[in-house]
PDB file of all heavy atoms in Angstrom:
ATOM      1  N   GLN A 660      15.952 -55.995  30.033  1.00  0.00           N
ATOM      2  CA  GLN A 660      15.676 -56.159  31.450  1.00  0.00           C
ATOM      3  C   GLN A 660      14.249 -55.735  31.823  1.00  0.00           C
ATOM      4  O   GLN A 660      13.576 -56.422  32.597  1.00  0.00           O
ATOM      5  CB  GLN A 660      16.695 -55.407  32.307  1.00  0.00           C
ATOM      6  CG  GLN A 660      18.111 -55.935  32.183  1.00  0.00           C
ATOM      7  CD  GLN A 660      18.180 -57.344  32.612  1.00  0.00           C
ATOM      8  OE1 GLN A 660      17.654 -57.772  33.644  1.00  0.00           O
ATOM      9  NE2 GLN A 660      18.862 -58.149  31.825  1.00  0.00           N
ATOM     10  N   THR A 661      13.787 -54.625  31.258  1.00  0.00           N
ATOM     11  CA  THR A 661      12.430 -54.166  31.600  1.00  0.00           C
ATOM     12  C   THR A 661      11.368 -55.132  31.017  1.00  0.00           C
ATOM     13  O   THR A 661      10.352 -55.357  31.649  1.00  0.00           O
ATOM     14  CB  THR A 661      12.189 -52.752  31.136  1.00  0.00           C
ATOM     15  OG1 THR A 661      12.440 -52.638  29.722  1.00  0.00           O
ATOM     16  CG2 THR A 661      13.046 -51.765  31.885  1.00  0.00           C
ATOM     17  N   THR A 662      11.676 -55.661  29.839  1.00  0.00           N
ATOM     18  CA  THR A 662      10.743 -56.611  29.209  1.00  0.00           C
ATOM     19  C   THR A 662      10.651 -57.888  30.050  1.00  0.00           C
ATOM     20  O   THR A 662       9.543 -58.420  30.318  1.00  0.00           O
ATOM     21  CB  THR A 662      11.171 -56.945  27.810  1.00  0.00           C
ATOM     22  OG1 THR A 662      11.250 -55.762  27.032  1.00  0.00           O
ATOM     23  CG2 THR A 662      10.240 -57.927  27.133  1.00  0.00           C
ATOM     24  N   ILE A 663      11.775 -58.378  30.521  1.00  0.00           N
ATOM     25  CA  ILE A 663      11.798 -59.601  31.348  1.00  0.00           C
ATOM     26  C   ILE A 663      11.114 -59.308  32.674  1.00  0.00           C
ATOM     27  O   ILE A 663      10.321 -60.144  33.166  1.00  0.00           O
ATOM     28  CB  ILE A 663      13.262 -60.067  31.562  1.00  0.00           C
ATOM     29  CG1 ILE A 663      13.814 -60.580  30.247  1.00  0.00           C
ATOM     30  CG2 ILE A 663      13.346 -61.107  32.659  1.00  0.00           C
ATOM     31  CD1 ILE A 663      15.303 -60.912  30.289  1.00  0.00           C
ATOM     32  N   SER A 664      11.343 -58.148  33.280  1.00  0.00           N
ATOM     33  CA  SER A 664      10.691 -57.800  34.563  1.00  0.00           C
ATOM     34  C   SER A 664       9.197 -57.771  34.403  1.00  0.00           C
ATOM     35  O   SER A 664       8.422 -58.239  35.245  1.00  0.00           O
ATOM     36  CB  SER A 664      11.207 -56.473  35.061  1.00  0.00           C
ATOM     37  OG  SER A 664      12.552 -56.559  35.403  1.00  0.00           O
ATOM     38  N   GLN A 665       8.736 -57.133  33.320  1.00  0.00           N
ATOM     39  CA  GLN A 665       7.265 -57.070  33.082  1.00  0.00           C
ATOM     40  C   GLN A 665       6.684 -58.458  32.833  1.00  0.00           C
ATOM     41  O   GLN A 665       5.600 -58.756  33.339  1.00  0.00           O
ATOM     42  CB  GLN A 665       6.980 -56.164  31.882  1.00  0.00           C
ATOM     43  CG  GLN A 665       5.497 -55.968  31.635  1.00  0.00           C
ATOM     44  CD  GLN A 665       4.824 -55.281  32.792  1.00  0.00           C
ATOM     45  OE1 GLN A 665       5.352 -54.330  33.308  1.00  0.00           O
ATOM     46  NE2 GLN A 665       3.677 -55.802  33.166  1.00  0.00           N
ATOM     47  N   ALA A 666       7.379 -59.315  32.107  1.00  0.00           N
ATOM     48  CA  ALA A 666       6.871 -60.655  31.850  1.00  0.00           C
ATOM     49  C   ALA A 666       6.767 -61.446  33.174  1.00  0.00           C
ATOM     50  O   ALA A 666       5.822 -62.157  33.377  1.00  0.00           O
ATOM     51  CB  ALA A 666       7.786 -61.395  30.893  1.00  0.00           C
ATOM     52  N   LYS A 667       7.741 -61.274  34.007  1.00  0.00           N
ATOM     53  CA  LYS A 667       7.726 -61.973  35.339  1.00  0.00           C
ATOM     54  C   LYS A 667       6.558 -61.447  36.183  1.00  0.00           C
ATOM     55  O   LYS A 667       5.840 -62.249  36.802  1.00  0.00           O
ATOM     56  CB  LYS A 667       9.031 -61.782  36.099  1.00  0.00           C
ATOM     57  CG  LYS A 667      10.159 -62.607  35.500  1.00  0.00           C
ATOM     58  CD  LYS A 667      11.532 -62.312  36.061  1.00  0.00           C
ATOM     59  CE  LYS A 667      11.621 -62.128  37.550  1.00  0.00           C
ATOM     60  NZ  LYS A 667      12.995 -61.862  37.997  1.00  0.00           N
ATOM     61  N   ALA A 668       6.344 -60.158  36.187  1.00  0.00           N
ATOM     62  CA  ALA A 668       5.250 -59.569  36.965  1.00  0.00           C
ATOM     63  C   ALA A 668       3.896 -60.087  36.412  1.00  0.00           C
ATOM     64  O   ALA A 668       2.994 -60.369  37.191  1.00  0.00           O
ATOM     65  CB  ALA A 668       5.295 -58.072  36.896  1.00  0.00           C
ATOM     66  N   ASP A 669       3.755 -60.150  35.103  1.00  0.00           N
ATOM     67  CA  ASP A 669       2.522 -60.668  34.516  1.00  0.00           C
ATOM     68  C   ASP A 669       2.251 -62.104  34.898  1.00  0.00           C
ATOM     69  O   ASP A 669       1.122 -62.480  35.193  1.00  0.00           O
ATOM     70  CB  ASP A 669       2.567 -60.518  32.988  1.00  0.00           C
ATOM     71  CG  ASP A 669       2.512 -59.089  32.518  1.00  0.00           C
ATOM     72  OD1 ASP A 669       2.182 -58.190  33.325  1.00  0.00           O
ATOM     73  OD2 ASP A 669       2.848 -58.840  31.308  1.00  0.00           O
ATOM     74  N   GLU A 670       3.310 -62.914  34.909  1.00  0.00           N
ATOM     75  CA  GLU A 670       3.185 -64.320  35.295  1.00  0.00           C
ATOM     76  C   GLU A 670       2.736 -64.448  36.755  1.00  0.00           C
ATOM     77  O   GLU A 670       1.881 -65.275  37.104  1.00  0.00           O
ATOM     78  CB  GLU A 670       4.469 -65.094  35.062  1.00  0.00           C
ATOM     79  CG  GLU A 670       4.783 -65.321  33.613  1.00  0.00           C
ATOM     80  CD  GLU A 670       3.822 -66.295  32.986  1.00  0.00           C
ATOM     81  OE1 GLU A 670       3.434 -67.292  33.623  1.00  0.00           O
ATOM     82  OE2 GLU A 670       3.408 -66.051  31.822  1.00  0.00           O
ATOM     83  N   VAL A 671       3.346 -63.644  37.613  1.00  0.00           N
ATOM     84  CA  VAL A 671       2.966 -63.697  39.052  1.00  0.00           C
ATOM     85  C   VAL A 671       1.544 -63.278  39.221  1.00  0.00           C
ATOM     86  O   VAL A 671       0.778 -63.915  39.950  1.00  0.00           O
ATOM     87  CB  VAL A 671       3.939 -62.797  39.878  1.00  0.00           C
ATOM     88  CG1 VAL A 671       3.394 -62.608  41.283  1.00  0.00           C
ATOM     89  CG2 VAL A 671       5.316 -63.408  39.925  1.00  0.00           C
ATOM     90  N   ASN A 672       1.130 -62.187  38.570  1.00  0.00           N
ATOM     91  CA  ASN A 672      -0.246 -61.739  38.717  1.00  0.00           C
ATOM     92  C   ASN A 672      -1.232 -62.738  38.193  1.00  0.00           C
ATOM     93  O   ASN A 672      -2.323 -62.935  38.752  1.00  0.00           O
ATOM     94  CB  ASN A 672      -0.422 -60.394  38.052  1.00  0.00           C
ATOM     95  CG  ASN A 672       0.250 -59.261  38.770  1.00  0.00           C
ATOM     96  OD1 ASN A 672       0.492 -59.341  39.955  1.00  0.00           O
ATOM     97  ND2 ASN A 672       0.613 -58.226  38.037  1.00  0.00           N
ATOM     98  N   ALA A 673      -0.898 -63.400  37.119  1.00  0.00           N
ATOM     99  CA  ALA A 673      -1.781 -64.446  36.555  1.00  0.00           C
ATOM    100  C   ALA A 673      -1.935 -65.611  37.485  1.00  0.00           C
ATOM    101  O   ALA A 673      -2.985 -66.201  37.649  1.00  0.00           O
ATOM    102  CB  ALA A 673      -1.288 -64.877  35.192  1.00  0.00           C
ATOM    103  N   GLY A 674      -0.870 -65.945  38.176  1.00  0.00           N
ATOM    104  CA  GLY A 674      -0.886 -67.064  39.121  1.00  0.00           C
ATOM    105  C   GLY A 674      -1.604 -66.756  40.413  1.00  0.00           C
ATOM    106  O   GLY A 674      -2.062 -67.659  41.119  1.00  0.00           O
ATOM    107  N   LEU A 675      -1.710 -65.484  40.763  1.00  0.00           N
ATOM    108  CA  LEU A 675      -2.329 -65.124  42.013  1.00  0.00           C
ATOM    109  C   LEU A 675      -3.786 -64.631  41.841  1.00  0.00           C
ATOM    110  O   LEU A 675      -4.401 -64.266  42.820  1.00  0.00           O
ATOM    111  CB  LEU A 675      -1.540 -63.992  42.676  1.00  0.00           C
ATOM    112  CG  LEU A 675      -0.114 -64.353  43.102  1.00  0.00           C
ATOM    113  CD1 LEU A 675       0.553 -63.117  43.701  1.00  0.00           C
ATOM    114  CD2 LEU A 675      -0.159 -65.454  44.108  1.00  0.00           C
ATOM    115  N   ALA A 676      -4.281 -64.695  40.616  1.00  0.00           N
ATOM    116  CA  ALA A 676      -5.663 -64.224  40.376  1.00  0.00           C
ATOM    117  C   ALA A 676      -6.634 -65.181  41.059  1.00  0.00           C
ATOM    118  O   ALA A 676      -6.521 -66.416  40.902  1.00  0.00           O
ATOM    119  CB  ALA A 676      -5.937 -64.128  38.909  1.00  0.00           C
ATOM    120  N   ASP A 677      -7.623 -64.638  41.739  1.00  0.00           N
ATOM    121  CA  ASP A 677      -8.579 -65.518  42.395  1.00  0.00           C
ATOM    122  C   ASP A 677      -9.802 -65.724  41.485  1.00  0.00           C
ATOM    123  O   ASP A 677     -10.109 -64.884  40.639  1.00  0.00           O
ATOM    124  CB  ASP A 677      -9.047 -64.954  43.733  1.00  0.00           C
ATOM    125  CG  ASP A 677      -9.579 -63.533  43.631  1.00  0.00           C
ATOM    126  OD1 ASP A 677      -9.490 -62.953  42.531  1.00  0.00           O
ATOM    127  OD2 ASP A 677     -10.076 -63.015  44.636  1.00  0.00           O
ATOM    128  N   VAL A 678     -10.435 -66.819  41.600  1.00  0.00           N
ATOM    129  CA  VAL A 678     -11.592 -67.129  40.836  1.00  0.00           C
ATOM    130  C   VAL A 678     -12.811 -66.625  41.561  1.00  0.00           C
ATOM    131  O   VAL A 678     -13.769 -66.136  40.996  1.00  0.00           O
ATOM    132  CB  VAL A 678     -11.697 -68.677  40.565  1.00  0.00           C
ATOM    133  CG1 VAL A 678     -13.008 -68.999  39.860  1.00  0.00           C
ATOM    134  CG2 VAL A 678     -10.526 -69.123  39.770  1.00  0.00           C
ATOM    135  N   ALA A 679     -12.768 -66.696  42.877  1.00  0.00           N
ATOM    136  CA  ALA A 679     -13.866 -66.221  43.719  1.00  0.00           C
ATOM    137  C   ALA A 679     -13.261 -65.661  45.011  1.00  0.00           C
ATOM    138  O   ALA A 679     -12.247 -66.115  45.473  1.00  0.00           O
ATOM    139  CB  ALA A 679     -14.810 -67.344  44.014  1.00  0.00           C
ATOM    140  N   SER A 680     -13.971 -64.689  45.575  1.00  0.00           N
ATOM    141  CA  SER A 680     -13.515 -64.182  46.849  1.00  0.00           C
ATOM    142  C   SER A 680     -14.761 -64.087  47.760  1.00  0.00           C
ATOM    143  O   SER A 680     -15.857 -63.866  47.315  1.00  0.00           O
ATOM    144  CB  SER A 680     -12.815 -62.862  46.683  1.00  0.00           C
ATOM    145  OG  SER A 680     -13.706 -61.901  46.156  1.00  0.00           O
ATOM    146  N   VAL A 681     -14.492 -64.218  49.050  1.00  0.00           N
ATOM    147  CA  VAL A 681     -15.521 -64.139  50.025  1.00  0.00           C
ATOM    148  C   VAL A 681     -15.197 -62.989  50.990  1.00  0.00           C
ATOM    149  O   VAL A 681     -14.082 -62.882  51.438  1.00  0.00           O
ATOM    150  CB  VAL A 681     -15.628 -65.467  50.887  1.00  0.00           C
ATOM    151  CG1 VAL A 681     -16.647 -65.364  51.970  1.00  0.00           C
ATOM    152  CG2 VAL A 681     -15.858 -66.640  49.972  1.00  0.00           C
ATOM    153  N   SER A 682     -16.182 -62.108  51.231  1.00  0.00           N
ATOM    154  CA  SER A 682     -15.949 -61.039  52.156  1.00  0.00           C
ATOM    155  C   SER A 682     -17.207 -60.842  52.999  1.00  0.00           C
ATOM    156  O   SER A 682     -18.304 -61.306  52.643  1.00  0.00           O
ATOM    157  CB  SER A 682     -15.639 -59.728  51.435  1.00  0.00           C
ATOM    158  OG  SER A 682     -16.716 -59.334  50.614  1.00  0.00           O
ATOM    159  N   ALA A 683     -17.043 -60.255  54.149  1.00  0.00           N
ATOM    160  CA  ALA A 683     -18.145 -60.002  55.065  1.00  0.00           C
ATOM    161  C   ALA A 683     -17.907 -58.652  55.753  1.00  0.00           C
ATOM    162  O   ALA A 683     -17.672 -58.597  56.955  1.00  0.00           O
ATOM    163  CB  ALA A 683     -18.270 -61.127  56.065  1.00  0.00           C
ATOM    164  N   PRO A 684     -17.946 -57.553  55.027  1.00  0.00           N
ATOM    165  CA  PRO A 684     -17.639 -56.256  55.616  1.00  0.00           C
ATOM    166  C   PRO A 684     -18.582 -55.858  56.766  1.00  0.00           C
ATOM    167  O   PRO A 684     -18.184 -55.192  57.709  1.00  0.00           O
ATOM    168  CB  PRO A 684     -17.722 -55.252  54.471  1.00  0.00           C
ATOM    169  CG  PRO A 684     -18.497 -55.943  53.397  1.00  0.00           C
ATOM    170  CD  PRO A 684     -18.321 -57.395  53.606  1.00  0.00           C
ATOM    171  N   ARG A 685     -19.860 -56.274  56.680  1.00  0.00           N
ATOM    172  CA  ARG A 685     -20.786 -55.911  57.757  1.00  0.00           C
ATOM    173  C   ARG A 685     -20.565 -56.707  59.048  1.00  0.00           C
ATOM    174  O   ARG A 685     -21.033 -56.359  60.083  1.00  0.00           O
ATOM    175  CB  ARG A 685     -22.226 -56.077  57.242  1.00  0.00           C
ATOM    176  CG  ARG A 685     -22.558 -55.064  56.185  1.00  0.00           C
ATOM    177  CD  ARG A 685     -24.037 -55.106  55.879  1.00  0.00           C
ATOM    178  NE  ARG A 685     -24.324 -54.105  54.889  1.00  0.00           N
ATOM    179  CZ  ARG A 685     -25.511 -53.804  54.484  1.00  0.00           C
ATOM    180  NH1 ARG A 685     -26.549 -54.483  54.980  1.00  0.00           N
ATOM    181  NH2 ARG A 685     -25.763 -52.873  53.599  1.00  0.00           N
ATOM    182  N   LEU A 686     -19.843 -57.852  58.895  1.00  0.00           N
ATOM    183  CA  LEU A 686     -19.557 -58.655  60.061  1.00  0.00           C
ATOM    184  C   LEU A 686     -18.217 -58.307  60.690  1.00  0.00           C
ATOM    185  O   LEU A 686     -17.829 -58.862  61.677  1.00  0.00           O
ATOM    186  CB  LEU A 686     -19.534 -60.159  59.665  1.00  0.00           C
ATOM    187  CG  LEU A 686     -20.851 -60.762  59.191  1.00  0.00           C
ATOM    188  CD1 LEU A 686     -20.640 -62.190  58.776  1.00  0.00           C
ATOM    189  CD2 LEU A 686     -21.879 -60.696  60.301  1.00  0.00           C
ATOM    190  N   GLY A 687     -17.520 -57.383  60.071  1.00  0.00           N
ATOM    191  CA  GLY A 687     -16.241 -57.021  60.578  1.00  0.00           C
ATOM    192  C   GLY A 687     -15.107 -57.895  60.036  1.00  0.00           C
ATOM    193  O   GLY A 687     -14.053 -57.981  60.601  1.00  0.00           O
ATOM    194  N   GLY A 688     -15.398 -58.604  58.987  1.00  0.00           N
ATOM    195  CA  GLY A 688     -14.415 -59.518  58.393  1.00  0.00           C
ATOM    196  C   GLY A 688     -14.960 -60.910  58.228  1.00  0.00           C
ATOM    197  O   GLY A 688     -16.084 -61.182  58.591  1.00  0.00           O
ATOM    198  N   VAL A 689     -14.170 -61.758  57.669  1.00  0.00           N
ATOM    199  CA  VAL A 689     -14.587 -63.136  57.445  1.00  0.00           C
ATOM    200  C   VAL A 689     -14.634 -63.895  58.756  1.00  0.00           C
ATOM    201  O   VAL A 689     -13.726 -63.789  59.575  1.00  0.00           O
ATOM    202  CB  VAL A 689     -13.568 -63.839  56.475  1.00  0.00           C
ATOM    203  CG1 VAL A 689     -13.934 -65.293  56.288  1.00  0.00           C
ATOM    204  CG2 VAL A 689     -13.504 -63.085  55.150  1.00  0.00           C
ATOM    205  N   PRO A 690     -15.741 -64.573  59.033  1.00  0.00           N
ATOM    206  CA  PRO A 690     -15.924 -65.262  60.305  1.00  0.00           C
ATOM    207  C   PRO A 690     -14.829 -66.319  60.521  1.00  0.00           C
ATOM    208  O   PRO A 690     -14.398 -67.010  59.584  1.00  0.00           O
ATOM    209  CB  PRO A 690     -17.272 -65.925  60.212  1.00  0.00           C
ATOM    210  CG  PRO A 690     -18.011 -65.138  59.147  1.00  0.00           C
ATOM    211  CD  PRO A 690     -16.962 -64.657  58.225  1.00  0.00           C
ATOM    212  N   HIS A 691     -14.485 -66.513  61.796  1.00  0.00           N
ATOM    213  CA  HIS A 691     -13.477 -67.543  62.180  1.00  0.00           C
ATOM    214  C   HIS A 691     -13.961 -68.911  61.777  1.00  0.00           C
ATOM    215  O   HIS A 691     -15.113 -69.276  62.028  1.00  0.00           O
ATOM    216  CB  HIS A 691     -13.231 -67.476  63.678  1.00  0.00           C
ATOM    217  CG  HIS A 691     -12.192 -68.447  64.151  1.00  0.00           C
ATOM    218  ND1 HIS A 691     -10.860 -68.314  63.855  1.00  0.00           N
ATOM    219  CD2 HIS A 691     -12.317 -69.544  64.916  1.00  0.00           C
ATOM    220  CE1 HIS A 691     -10.229 -69.303  64.379  1.00  0.00           C
ATOM    221  NE2 HIS A 691     -11.056 -70.070  65.057  1.00  0.00           N
ATOM    222  N   GLY A 692     -13.122 -69.707  61.166  1.00  0.00           N
ATOM    223  CA  GLY A 692     -13.498 -71.074  60.741  1.00  0.00           C
ATOM    224  C   GLY A 692     -14.037 -71.170  59.343  1.00  0.00           C
ATOM    225  O   GLY A 692     -14.103 -72.279  58.777  1.00  0.00           O
ATOM    226  N   LEU A 693     -14.377 -70.024  58.728  1.00  0.00           N
ATOM    227  CA  LEU A 693     -14.882 -70.085  57.360  1.00  0.00           C
ATOM    228  C   LEU A 693     -13.830 -70.564  56.356  1.00  0.00           C
ATOM    229  O   LEU A 693     -14.173 -71.305  55.428  1.00  0.00           O
ATOM    230  CB  LEU A 693     -15.403 -68.698  56.931  1.00  0.00           C
ATOM    231  CG  LEU A 693     -16.016 -68.630  55.535  1.00  0.00           C
ATOM    232  CD1 LEU A 693     -17.247 -69.540  55.475  1.00  0.00           C
ATOM    233  CD2 LEU A 693     -16.326 -67.215  55.161  1.00  0.00           C
ATOM    234  N   LEU A 694     -12.608 -70.187  56.579  1.00  0.00           N
ATOM    235  CA  LEU A 694     -11.515 -70.592  55.660  1.00  0.00           C
ATOM    236  C   LEU A 694     -11.408 -72.137  55.659  1.00  0.00           C
ATOM    237  O   LEU A 694     -11.290 -72.757  54.587  1.00  0.00           O
ATOM    238  CB  LEU A 694     -10.195 -69.972  56.080  1.00  0.00           C
ATOM    239  CG  LEU A 694      -9.013 -70.216  55.160  1.00  0.00           C
ATOM    240  CD1 LEU A 694      -9.311 -69.711  53.753  1.00  0.00           C
ATOM    241  CD2 LEU A 694      -7.781 -69.539  55.713  1.00  0.00           C
ATOM    242  N   ASP A 695     -11.478 -72.783  56.809  1.00  0.00           N
ATOM    243  CA  ASP A 695     -11.439 -74.250  56.817  1.00  0.00           C
ATOM    244  C   ASP A 695     -12.635 -74.874  56.136  1.00  0.00           C
ATOM    245  O   ASP A 695     -12.520 -75.878  55.458  1.00  0.00           O
ATOM    246  CB  ASP A 695     -11.352 -74.738  58.305  1.00  0.00           C
ATOM    247  CG  ASP A 695     -10.040 -74.366  58.951  1.00  0.00           C
ATOM    248  OD1 ASP A 695      -9.015 -74.308  58.209  1.00  0.00           O
ATOM    249  OD2 ASP A 695     -10.041 -74.167  60.171  1.00  0.00           O
ATOM    250  N   ASP A 696     -13.803 -74.235  56.296  1.00  0.00           N
ATOM    251  CA  ASP A 696     -15.044 -74.736  55.641  1.00  0.00           C
ATOM    252  C   ASP A 696     -14.920 -74.622  54.117  1.00  0.00           C
ATOM    253  O   ASP A 696     -15.275 -75.538  53.389  1.00  0.00           O
ATOM    254  CB  ASP A 696     -16.236 -73.947  56.082  1.00  0.00           C
ATOM    255  CG  ASP A 696     -16.572 -74.196  57.535  1.00  0.00           C
ATOM    256  OD1 ASP A 696     -16.083 -75.147  58.168  1.00  0.00           O
ATOM    257  OD2 ASP A 696     -17.333 -73.358  58.112  1.00  0.00           O
ATOM    258  N   VAL A 697     -14.316 -73.532  53.652  1.00  0.00           N
ATOM    259  CA  VAL A 697     -14.123 -73.339  52.217  1.00  0.00           C
ATOM    260  C   VAL A 697     -13.132 -74.361  51.668  1.00  0.00           C
ATOM    261  O   VAL A 697     -13.354 -74.929  50.619  1.00  0.00           O
ATOM    262  CB  VAL A 697     -13.719 -71.915  51.879  1.00  0.00           C
ATOM    263  CG1 VAL A 697     -13.277 -71.752  50.429  1.00  0.00           C
ATOM    264  CG2 VAL A 697     -14.831 -70.918  52.205  1.00  0.00           C
ATOM    265  N   ARG A 698     -12.066 -74.589  52.388  1.00  0.00           N
ATOM    266  CA  ARG A 698     -11.083 -75.574  51.976  1.00  0.00           C
ATOM    267  C   ARG A 698     -11.643 -76.977  51.860  1.00  0.00           C
ATOM    268  O   ARG A 698     -11.216 -77.795  51.065  1.00  0.00           O
ATOM    269  CB  ARG A 698      -9.888 -75.588  52.955  1.00  0.00           C
ATOM    270  CG  ARG A 698      -8.983 -74.416  52.784  1.00  0.00           C
ATOM    271  CD  ARG A 698      -7.809 -74.495  53.757  1.00  0.00           C
ATOM    272  NE  ARG A 698      -6.911 -73.416  53.623  1.00  0.00           N
ATOM    273  CZ  ARG A 698      -6.272 -72.787  54.592  1.00  0.00           C
ATOM    274  NH1 ARG A 698      -6.462 -73.170  55.830  1.00  0.00           N
ATOM    275  NH2 ARG A 698      -5.456 -71.764  54.328  1.00  0.00           N
ATOM    276  N   ALA A 699     -12.662 -77.283  52.682  1.00  0.00           N
ATOM    277  CA  ALA A 699     -13.253 -78.597  52.711  1.00  0.00           C
ATOM    278  C   ALA A 699     -14.260 -78.821  51.570  1.00  0.00           C
ATOM    279  O   ALA A 699     -14.659 -79.966  51.337  1.00  0.00           O
ATOM    280  CB  ALA A 699     -13.948 -78.848  54.042  1.00  0.00           C
ATOM    281  N   LEU A 700     -14.640 -77.783  50.870  1.00  0.00           N
ATOM    282  CA  LEU A 700     -15.604 -77.944  49.793  1.00  0.00           C
ATOM    283  C   LEU A 700     -15.001 -78.707  48.615  1.00  0.00           C
ATOM    284  O   LEU A 700     -13.816 -78.558  48.285  1.00  0.00           O
ATOM    285  CB  LEU A 700     -16.064 -76.535  49.296  1.00  0.00           C
ATOM    286  CG  LEU A 700     -16.875 -75.684  50.245  1.00  0.00           C
ATOM    287  CD1 LEU A 700     -17.048 -74.305  49.700  1.00  0.00           C
ATOM    288  CD2 LEU A 700     -18.182 -76.368  50.485  1.00  0.00           C
ATOM    289  N   PRO A 701     -15.799 -79.523  47.964  1.00  0.00           N
ATOM    290  CA  PRO A 701     -15.294 -80.285  46.838  1.00  0.00           C
ATOM    291  C   PRO A 701     -14.940 -79.329  45.671  1.00  0.00           C
ATOM    292  O   PRO A 701     -15.678 -78.358  45.433  1.00  0.00           O
ATOM    293  CB  PRO A 701     -16.447 -81.200  46.438  1.00  0.00           C
ATOM    294  CG  PRO A 701     -17.617 -80.724  47.189  1.00  0.00           C
ATOM    295  CD  PRO A 701     -17.180 -79.878  48.302  1.00  0.00           C
TER     296      PRO A 701
END
């Protein structure tokens, strides 16, 4: 059971890993509308 649980957790973490992340801490967070702009990128 613990082996299966660990394997499931590893699969979930691998699927949720980001390739790139965008942050703007000095702006108080990511600007409104940036998410739509990123989604529109080829």
Side-chain angles (χ1 to χ4, degrees):
Q660 292 302 315
T661 56
T662 302
I663 291 171
S664 294
Q665 183 62 45
K667 286 171 45 178
D669 291 345
E670 287 292 319
V671 168
N672 289 335
L675 296 178
D677 56 353
V678 175
S680 62
V681 177
S682 63
R685 292 188 178 185
L686 296 176
V689 177
H691 181 69
L693 181 63
L694 186 58
D695 293 329
D696 293 343
V697 170
R698 285 181 178 142
L700 293 172

